[in-house]
Amino acid sequence: VLQQERDVSRGELLVPEDRPATVSRSLQAELCWFGPQEYDARARLLVKHATRLTSARITGIIDRVNIHSLQREPAQGSITPNDIVRVSLSLKQPLALDLYASNRCTGAFILIDEATNHTVAAGMVVGLH
């Protein structure tokens, strides 16, 4: 219950006054890539976070998980189907984000290929800038 009437739309986030949301346009994320092709740096991506949708760009591939040993390895090459990678993402509009370990609802997102509208990755926020 709000003390005053507010103009609040779908996708808006209400938080306690003493605990403001972390709003950011850049983050580190753990991605599971399930697009049918390898990642193309020229592709236009959208990030869907809760009910918000904004353009996103992968600005760097930090490392990947070797699916046989489960060890992290330096990133080499691109992101291929079934890869689990840690990346840096840049967003066109700021989003209210939390680390996935703190809040799964505001710490998770999906990546959508803008050209095909296919979901190409699921992500968890592991760092905020």
Side-chain angles (χ1 to χ4, degrees):
V1 175
L2 301 175
Q3 289 179 340
Q4 300 173 351
E5 187 174 319
R6 299 281 184 201
D7 183 20
V8 180
S9 302
R10 181 174 188 251
E12 300 287 335
L13 184 67
L14 295 174
V15 296
E17 191 173 29
D18 61 336
R19 293 185 317 205
T22 303
V23 179
S24 181
R25 289 183 55 211
S26 62
L27 62 132
Q28 277 191 10
E30 192 85 24
L31 291 182
C32 179
W33 190 265
F34 42 80
Q37 281 87 28
E38 76 175 40
Y39 167 68
D40 180 352
R42 298 170 300 181
R44 296 176 56 117
L45 298 174
L46 298 171
V47 63
K48 181 158 178 52
H49 174 260
T51 59
R52 302 284 310 269
L53 192 66
T54 189
S55 297
R57 187 168 50 95
I58 296 175
T59 56
I61 305 169
I62 300 164
D63 60 25
R64 75 180 69 245
V65 174
N66 179 317
I67 60 170
H68 303 291
S69 68
L70 300 180
Q71 299 297 312
R72 293 200 168 275
E73 298 177 346
Q76 296 176 350
S78 188
I79 305 170
T80 59
N82 299 320
D83 274 353
I84 299 171
V85 292
R86 186 174 303 227
V87 299
S88 295
L89 281 174
S90 176
L91 309 173
K92 185 172 184 177
Q93 297 175 335
L95 296 175
L97 301 163
D98 288 305
L99 299 180
Y100 184 82
S102 300
N103 186 331
R104 295 186 330 188
C105 293
T106 53
F109 60 90
I110 60 171
L111 288 179
I112 301 167
D113 183 323
E114 191 174 301
T116 63
N117 208 34
H118 290 146
T119 301
V120 292
M124 300 180 297
V125 178
V126 296
L128 296 168
H129 302 282

